[in-house]
Amino acid sequence: MLANRDVGKWLRRIRPAEYVLNAATCLAAPTQFLAGMKMVHNGINGVGVEATYSQSGFWPSVFSGIAVIGNRVTPSHRDRLGRPAWYDLLFSCGTDQDCKLDLPDIGASVRYHPGDACFIAGNALQHEVKDWKGGDRLAYAHYHRFLVAERMGINPGAAPFLSDFGKHLDTGFLGRNANMYGQ
């Protein structure tokens, strides 16, 4: 896909939103973020990949793949090609008015409107979008493929723990919740 010149234009256009999503990933899953940065660096420089394309340098995400979902339901599934410890990042950016992301394994349904981003353990949790109302549904599903990291010799690290987030929190909050964040 990166061989297509129009892809480079698209990658440049989504760059500002991707930088915000990258920052969110750094906060939510720092180890996964660093592994993703290494994968992007190696991919741009031809390490562990069969071919590079001129558009590779425009890749704006720390995730190794982005699936574009437009005006369709997403059947219930698990993302089997990632690692259970990794998050997928789902970003809704259409014009729909009423959409929900269902997580049947845990009996949850969450609001999933334009501008919403959701980290999900997509390999571990079944997820789906059954329907939406009003406007166009557009979502970018960000994911890592385990085999990409493996081919590049990158250790993806362990799943994040609550204690990983303590350094990003206000000291007053940490004091009130010391037992939760290992302080």
Side-chain angles (χ1 to χ4, degrees):
M1 174 131 153
L2 285 178
N4 183 322
R5 291 176 201 227
D6 291 334
V7 171
K9 292 177 189 174
W10 174 71
L11 291 173
R12 285 190 294 276
R13 291 186 77 188
I14 67 169
R15 188 178 290 160
E18 289 300 318
Y19 289 166
V20 172
L21 296 172
N22 289 345
T25 304
C26 182
L27 291 172
T31 303
Q32 182 178 337
F33 171 83
L34 291 174
M37 289 293 291
K38 288 177 190 173
M39 281 190 269
V40 170
H41 179 267
N42 287 357
I44 290 170
N45 293 300
V47 176
V49 295
E50 294 175 13
T52 59
Y53 302 98
S54 59
Q55 289 85 352
S56 298
F58 297 121
W59 190 254
S61 178
V62 296
F63 288 86
S64 62
I66 302 172
V68 180
I69 302 165
N71 285 336
R72 68 175 181 86
V73 299
T74 304
S76 186
H77 69 286
R78 287 184 180 85
D79 302 319
R80 295 289 183 200
L81 299 176
R83 289 192 63 207
W86 279 350
Y87 294 116
D88 295 337
L89 173 56
L90 309 176
F91 176 59
S92 177
C93 53
T95 60
D96 58 272
Q97 307 285 316
D98 185 21
C99 187
K100 296 213 179 341
L101 175 66
D102 294 321
L103 306 166
D105 290 334
I106 59 173
S109 182
V110 297
R111 182 185 101 128
Y112 189 45
H113 293 175
D116 289 344
C118 178
F119 286 98
I120 177 176
N123 181 287
L125 287 177
Q126 209 170 0
H127 50 288
E128 65 189 339
V129 171
K130 295 178 188 172
D131 195 13
W132 73 95
K133 293 181 178 51
D136 292 315
R137 177 174 180 245
L138 179 62
Y140 291 166
H142 298 72
Y143 56 87
H144 282 297
R145 291 293 183 243
F146 178 69
L147 291 177
V148 173
E150 189 176 75
R151 186 179 306 136
M152 293 180 174
I154 295 170
N155 178 353
F161 292 94
L162 282 176
S163 60
D164 293 334
F165 302 108
K167 62 186 170 215
H168 302 290
L169 300 174
D170 171 83
T171 54
F173 178 87
L174 287 173
R176 292 186 303 275
N177 298 283
N179 60 335
M180 185 184 299
Y181 291 92
Q183 301 294 318

